[in-house]
Amino acid sequence: MTTIYLKPHKEESLKRFHPWVFSGAIARVVLDAAHKAASPEEGELVAVRSAADETLGVGHWQVGSIAVRILAFGVEKLPRDFWRERIRAAYQVREAIGITPSQPSPQGKENNTFRLIHGEGDFLPGLIVDVYAETAVIQAHSVGMHVCRNEIAEAILAEVPQVQNIYYKSDDTLPFKAPVEGEKTGWLVESQKTASLKDKSRSDEFWSVENGLEFRIDWLRGQKTGFFIDQRENRALVERYAKDKDVLNMFCYTGGFSLYALRGGAKTVDSVDVSQKAIDLVNINVARNFPEATNHTAVAADAFEYLTAQKAQGRTYDLIILDPPAFAKHRDAVKNALRGYQRINAKAIEMIRPGGILFTFSCSQAVDKEAFRLAVFSAAAQVGRKVRILHQLHQPQDHPINIYHPEGEYLKGLVLYVE
Ligand code: SAH
């Protein structure tokens, strides 16, 4: 195996279990005999050692500022049952949380929708696995994980009782220029049910259950792995506040918050998203769960335009949910993102009736809690409304934050009482 030697003192963060080796920390690379090229291949397993020749761990080599992502600390090679052990450990955490089908969910409702692997949070940097009923969707963010995709699929099949199909969806997440062998998307494991689908591009026959609500998950064409599991607990909180309210679910995607609001007894629910495909799925999901409902409307529209037009007509709401896409994908976009958060929140707060509630979120990792809170505060001050914070929200337990890797914290939200 290729060995990476670090510069003096650069082993310290690894000894504290931070899983990244930056390229600037590397003193020299000793290639193993099998290498033809002058450097390691992207995605290959490498051993990392300190300047004093201590064993630090094994990880995937990457081209870029993060050169190695550590999979196992304190070893020279991966243990034999590595993938099965890691996946078993991650599944045990989900069982402990009570979100797997074998456990009653915290809300006492059936649940078979959960994130099984959350990258660094489950000590598997570069890997995301979401489970939707009998289907697992794997997403690789590194070539190393791409190379291991079949081993990972086998381990999931062996360790997670509900999984029968495994779809691989990494066309948008693998590093842009990386040399990648094999397909970036497609089935890795099929059951009779998927194999018998005439149209392989369809996932229509599949329903996933979150806290007793059924969702059609379009993992083939949908965003991310098909659904935003990370809002599960926050959606349940909306249910608690929804009774007799006029609700606006802005950036609704496939209607997650809308279904919970309907179940919570909302008077009306308006769901808005710029994507017509998402709106079509909202309507399907509402019809499936609330076939009699006449109090739900779904509109494909841009958020800013919708809010401006509704305000001009004097429309107001009791409860608004704002769950926009990440406004800042990189550190250098933070300033603009904060302006964006302020603008959209000001527009929403203006439309809330006195005594109403705003659920507002940011999923930009680069925007921290304090900065987001300041943006929302500025929005409230700008429109001159008195606002109190009722809840501070975050990502759920199946999106754990590795304590040694605080960068894994990304989702934050505020529930505001608007006078
Ligand atoms: N709340 C959702 C997830 C939201 S993801 C859930 O619980 O599942 C963000 C959504 O914002 C995406 O569906 C995307 O299509 C939508 N979006 C992006 N830009 C938008 C815009 N300018 N106006 C309205 N929706 C937008």
Side-chain angles (χ1 to χ4, degrees):
M1 196 189 291
T2 293
T3 305
I4 311 294
Y5 288 91
L6 301 187
K7 294 176 182 166
H9 308 299
K10 293 295 182 187
E11 72 284 0
E12 280 159 18
S13 64
L14 291 191
K15 284 188 172 168
R16 290 193 302 266
F17 305 110
H18 191 286
W20 297 346
V21 176
F22 289 97
S23 54
I26 296 175
R28 66 200 161 92
V29 174
V30 179
L31 294 171
D32 69 14
H35 272 86
K36 293 187 195 82
S39 56
E41 269 177 49
E42 182 147 24
E44 80 171 78
L45 270 181
V46 296
V48 181
R49 305 188 73 79
S50 69
D53 205 24
E54 300 156 288
T55 301
L56 295 173
V58 180
H60 283 141
W61 177 261
Q62 232 177 253
V63 174
S65 76
I66 303 173
V68 184
R69 286 171 144 186
I70 299 287
L71 296 174
F73 290 97
V75 291
E76 288 174 357
K77 56 180 195 191
L78 285 190
R80 213 156 46 93
D81 274 337
F82 174 77
W83 294 105
R84 281 193 65 165
E85 278 170 19
R86 277 291 152 87
I87 283 163
R88 188 181 312 141
Y91 186 66
Q92 279 167 357
V93 174
R94 278 65 188 170
E95 290 221 290
I97 300 165
I99 51 173
T100 60
S102 61
Q103 309 277 317
S105 81
Q107 283 79 24
K109 305 264 178 8
E110 182 191 348
N111 192 74
N112 59 24
T113 308
F114 58 90
R115 175 156 289 192
L116 173 66
I117 303 290
H118 184 60
E120 280 82 355
D122 285 295
F123 309 108
L124 289 173
L127 182 66
I128 297 294
V129 182
D130 285 338
V131 177
Y132 302 116
E134 68 263 52
T135 303
V137 182
I138 300 181
Q139 204 165 57
H141 290 249
S142 69
V143 180
M145 288 301 180
H146 174 78
V147 171
C148 301
R149 64 197 180 286
N150 286 310
E151 279 170 273
I152 295 167
E154 265 173 45
I156 295 170
L157 207 57
E159 295 294 338
V160 184
Q162 75 188 72
V163 171
Q164 291 165 30
N165 317 305
I166 302 185
Y167 191 71
Y168 183 59
K169 190 181 183 198
S170 300
D171 34 2
D172 293 335
T173 54
L174 283 167
F176 180 53
K177 285 190 199 142
V180 170
E181 278 179 32
E183 298 293 326
K184 294 184 192 176
T185 177
W187 291 103
L188 296 179
V189 177
E190 289 198 73
S191 64
Q192 265 188 342
K193 186 167 163 188
T194 55
S196 68
L197 284 180
K198 283 196 199 73
D199 178 356
K200 288 280 184 200
S201 67
R202 292 182 72 126
S203 49
D204 302 18
E205 323 256 327
F206 295 85
W207 293 91
S208 200
V209 183
E210 185 186 84
N211 287 331
L213 291 164
E214 287 186 280
F215 289 91
R216 176 173 289 171
I217 314 282
D218 189 350
W219 56 78
L220 300 165
R221 285 152 303 192
Q223 301 179 28
K224 310 273 171 140
T225 65
F227 194 55
F228 292 87
I229 300 176
D230 57 2
Q231 290 286 23
R232 180 187 58 246
E233 306 301 323
N234 302 331
R235 291 195 267 259
L237 191 62
V238 161
E239 180 173 0
R240 263 177 53 194
Y241 280 100
K243 186 133 187 62
D244 299 328
K245 303 263 166 72
D246 287 322
V247 176
L248 169 63
N249 180 10
M250 180 53 79
F251 305 100
C252 65
Y253 189 47
T254 57
F257 284 103
S258 306
L259 292 197
Y260 283 76
L262 287 168
R263 192 167 67 184
K267 187 156 40 139
T268 65
V269 178
D270 293 346
S271 303
V272 181
D273 197 285
V274 77
S275 152
Q276 181 63 50
K277 267 197 295 190
I279 291 301
D280 293 343
L281 278 169
V282 179
N283 285 323
I284 289 169
N285 288 333
V286 171
R288 173 88 168 190
N289 290 275
F290 305 98
E292 313 287 321
T294 52
N295 56 343
H296 176 259
T297 316
V299 183
D302 169 76
F304 289 94
E305 285 172 17
Y306 181 88
L307 290 173
T308 306
Q310 293 296 308
K311 169 137 195 292
Q313 290 173 25
R315 183 88 167 95
T316 55
Y317 289 95
D318 301 305
L319 196 166
I320 297 181
I321 299 134
L322 285 184
D323 184 23
F327 282 173
K329 298 232 158 66
H330 304 286
R331 297 239 148 251
D332 42 12
V334 167
K335 236 176 156 179
N336 276 338
L338 289 173
R339 273 200 288 271
Y341 287 122
Q342 181 176 337
R343 236 180 98 215
I344 191 87
N345 278 280
K347 280 202 167 296
I349 293 171
E350 266 187 320
M351 288 181 66
I352 292 188
R353 291 177 197 145
I357 286 181
L358 174 67
F359 277 69
T360 182
F361 295 96
S362 161
C363 60
S364 307
Q365 190 269 336
V367 171
D368 66 26
K369 244 190 311 228
E370 284 69 32
F372 177 61
R373 193 163 149 163
L374 186 62
V376 176
F377 158 82
S378 307
Q382 181 190 329
V383 297
R385 297 287 293 273
K386 226 170 165 185
V387 160
R388 268 175 275 195
I389 297 176
L390 302 183
H391 301 265
Q392 305 194 45
L393 305 178
H394 38 77
Q395 63 214 62
Q397 306 90 319
D398 52 345
H399 293 57
I401 301 161
N402 178 338
I403 203 160
Y404 308 113
H405 180 261
E407 297 93 326
E409 187 171 357
Y410 71 100
L411 181 65
K412 55 246 148 227
L414 294 169
V415 183
L416 305 178
Y417 181 88
V418 184
E419 269 182 40

